[in-house]
Amino acid sequence: MDQSEIFAALQSQKIETPSWGYGNSGTRFKTFAAPGAARTIWEKVDDAAEIHRLTGIAPSIALHIPWDKVSDFGELASYGRDKGISIGAINPNLFQRDEYKLGSIASPDSATRETAIAHILECVAIMDQTGSRDLSLWFADGTNYAGQDDLRRRKRNFRTALTTIHDALPAGKRLLLEYKFFEPSFYYTDSFDWGCALSHCSAIGPKAQVLVDLGHHPQSTNIEAIVAFLLDEGKLGGFHFNARRYADDDLIVGSTNPYELFCIYHELVSAQSAEDRLVAETAANVAYMIDQSHNIEPKLEAMLQSVLNCQEAFARALLVDRNALTEAQRNGDVLGAHRILNSAFHTDVRPLLKTFREQQGLPVDPIAELKCSEYVETIVRTRGVADASGGYPTE
Ligand code: PSV
Ligand code: MN
């Protein structure tokens, strides 16, 4: 790729930020209130717009319902539009009602399953008002003990509900099914891994695809291999980017896992130019979303750093000498092929990205620009310190 092709690719990159990454959040031990953290979805859209202003590649925000519920979603969409932000994936909340103690769509209780389906269908209606393409589904459903429930019955209920939802989706909309190997259930999870999610998505229809959250795998899982497999099946729908040390830790994407992120982008870049049309189309439609709630990090700086880390990983993947790599692979040159890939990974792309930003009229050093920006000073002054939960009550 020459520089103009690389710049065209960098210009087309998009990363969606999550509404839940802009408000106060914490661990089950403590939520530290961050000065200036967004208190409403309107303020979250403002923050997303600031991240987009600084990077030029974060033009949408994902919503979590009912956390981000408003009386008029059309108004929210037009508020975002005025600021250059569109409403991205809609994430129904299927884990915070008392009824969901034994699960939502896989619950043994049919009334609970109906409640969950009704909530998801409400989210499908919201997608229409916001212009969202993707319904992003994560289920906390599972069991804690062997024998607690009938696993095959749960699987069937899960599949039946997903089919109802899939069939209710208008043309052009997608259902993205997430998986997670444990937590909050510790014995069994109904959508427990990518194979399980793929099997459901293949069975229920063409509008269903798998969503890969980087935090949802056991240690050492080769996530780029999952990505390659799902791309080849035409079933990779999107990502929830983050990084992990132990489990679903919500760390900044690319902080603990820069090589993994690079290898993932490498698979995506090669799929984008695949001869197989299904693979190329699937790669072109992948939704790149961040799923992180920061606890001690400054909110906006953490989100900005996350977007920039994705940009760096993508830029490095664009530098891979694909012809040389293919030849080395065909010749069985094990380490030669490995070195070709790694030489792109080890390239310092910061000068390239600086030139790219200059050319795009974007801030050359987005972190420095944020740190001295009037925006941060204003939100700290006007929003103050919002209530945070999880600590000792104050007198
Ligand atoms: C669950 O760990 C998850 O990754 C799901 O994507 C949720 O939608 C998100 O976190 C926020 O709770
Ligand atoms: Mn997720």
Side-chain angles (χ1 to χ4, degrees):
M1 265 194 198
D2 63 22
Q3 179 153 309
S4 67
E5 288 169 315
I6 292 176
F7 280 11
L10 287 171
Q11 215 184 336
S12 70
Q13 188 182 18
K14 297 208 173 8
I15 307 287
E16 183 163 304
T17 64
S19 68
W20 54 98
Y22 293 112
N24 277 329
S25 58
T27 64
R28 64 198 167 94
F29 302 104
K30 168 80 177 156
T31 293
F32 297 100
R39 298 158 300 178
T40 65
I41 182 57
W42 310 92
E43 292 180 351
K44 291 171 186 182
V45 170
D46 294 345
D47 288 356
E50 178 64 3
I51 298 298
H52 184 46
R53 181 185 76 79
L54 293 164
T55 61
I57 58 166
S60 62
I61 184 169
L63 304 189
H64 219 297
I65 308 294
W67 297 341
D68 299 320
K69 205 163 178 175
V70 291
S71 54
D72 184 346
F73 280 99
E75 190 190 346
L76 183 67
S78 104
Y79 181 82
R81 232 180 350 263
D82 289 347
K83 294 177 176 266
I85 290 293
S86 62
I87 306 297
I90 302 295
N91 293 247
N93 186 313
L94 297 153
F95 46 92
Q96 279 187 320
R97 290 176 70 115
D98 286 342
E99 301 99 294
Y100 296 154
K101 193 167 163 184
L102 300 178
S104 62
I105 61 167
S107 167
D109 178 52
S110 66
T112 301
R113 296 198 297 274
E114 274 161 33
T115 303
I117 293 170
H119 173 55
I120 299 171
L121 294 179
E122 179 198 352
C123 289
V124 172
I126 292 172
M127 290 166 76
D128 185 43
Q129 297 162 51
T130 54
S132 301
R133 179 188 57 170
D134 295 330
L135 175 72
S136 191
L137 296 177
W138 174 67
F139 298 92
D141 292 45
T143 65
N144 268 0
Y145 296 97
Q148 179 191 321
D149 204 353
D150 181 311
L151 302 188
R152 278 195 299 110
R153 192 190 56 223
R154 289 186 72 95
K155 180 207 160 221
R156 280 169 186 259
N157 284 333
F158 200 85
R159 172 77 55 89
T160 304
L162 287 181
T163 305
T164 306
I165 298 151
H166 174 275
D167 295 350
L169 277 175
K173 308 273 181 198
R174 308 190 301 181
L175 174 168
L176 305 184
L177 178 60
E178 215 169 328
Y179 57 89
K180 185 175 184 180
F181 79 113
F182 86 118
E183 199 198 24
S185 303
F186 293 102
Y187 169 69
Y188 166 75
T189 298
D190 287 285
S191 180
F192 55 88
D193 72 8
W194 69 275
C196 168
L198 174 61
S199 166
H200 282 305
C201 289
S202 300
I204 64 179
K207 288 178 268 180
Q209 289 182 308
V210 179
L211 191 155
V212 177
D213 182 314
L214 304 192
H216 291 187
H217 305 82
Q219 298 283 22
S220 302
T221 299
N222 185 337
I223 301 179
E224 55 270 29
I226 297 172
V227 169
F229 197 101
L230 291 174
L231 279 167
D232 206 61
E233 293 289 318
K235 282 292 188 188
L236 180 71
F239 287 98
H240 270 177
F241 280 150
N242 48 52
R244 68 197 288 281
R245 188 74 187 165
Y246 300 101
D248 194 19
D249 304 330
D250 273 5
L251 301 178
I252 290 174
V253 58
S255 57
T256 62
N257 59 347
Y259 193 61
E260 175 179 79
L261 187 62
F262 163 76
C263 289
I264 289 171
Y265 267 113
H266 166 60
E267 290 304 330
L268 289 150
V269 171
S270 44
Q272 275 162 11
S273 53
E275 273 170 30
D276 186 313
R277 256 186 64 199
L278 174 70
V279 176
E281 263 173 35
T282 306
N285 285 303
V286 166
Y288 297 86
M289 302 174 277
I290 289 171
D291 180 6
Q292 296 168 195
S293 295
H294 306 111
N295 305 323
I296 59 166
E297 307 89 326
K299 303 271 165 211
L300 289 185
E301 191 180 333
M303 201 56 82
L304 177 58
Q305 185 69 64
S306 308
V307 173
L308 296 176
N309 286 357
C310 293
Q311 188 176 45
E312 276 197 20
F314 182 46
R316 287 171 172 174
L318 292 170
L319 293 179
V320 172
D321 183 342
R322 274 156 221 284
N323 292 334
L325 182 63
T326 307
E327 200 181 320
Q329 289 170 345
R330 289 212 176 113
N331 293 335
D333 184 358
V334 176
L335 292 180
H338 180 58
R339 276 191 297 268
I340 290 166
L341 191 71
N342 278 4
S343 116
F345 174 67
H346 291 302
T347 307
D348 182 358
V349 290
R350 288 173 296 182
L352 175 93
L353 290 173
K354 187 169 173 266
T355 312
F356 171 69
R357 290 190 190 108
E358 269 163 1
Q359 210 196 62
Q360 297 290 307
L362 290 162
V364 171
D365 183 344
I367 298 276
E369 169 97 4
L370 174 75
K371 279 177 136 351
C372 63
S373 85
E374 237 177 71
Y375 184 81
V376 172
E377 193 261 315
T378 309
I379 60 172
V380 169
R381 184 166 35 80
T382 57
R383 295 179 187 169
V385 184
D387 279 352
S389 59
Y392 286 116
T394 44
E395 279 123 63

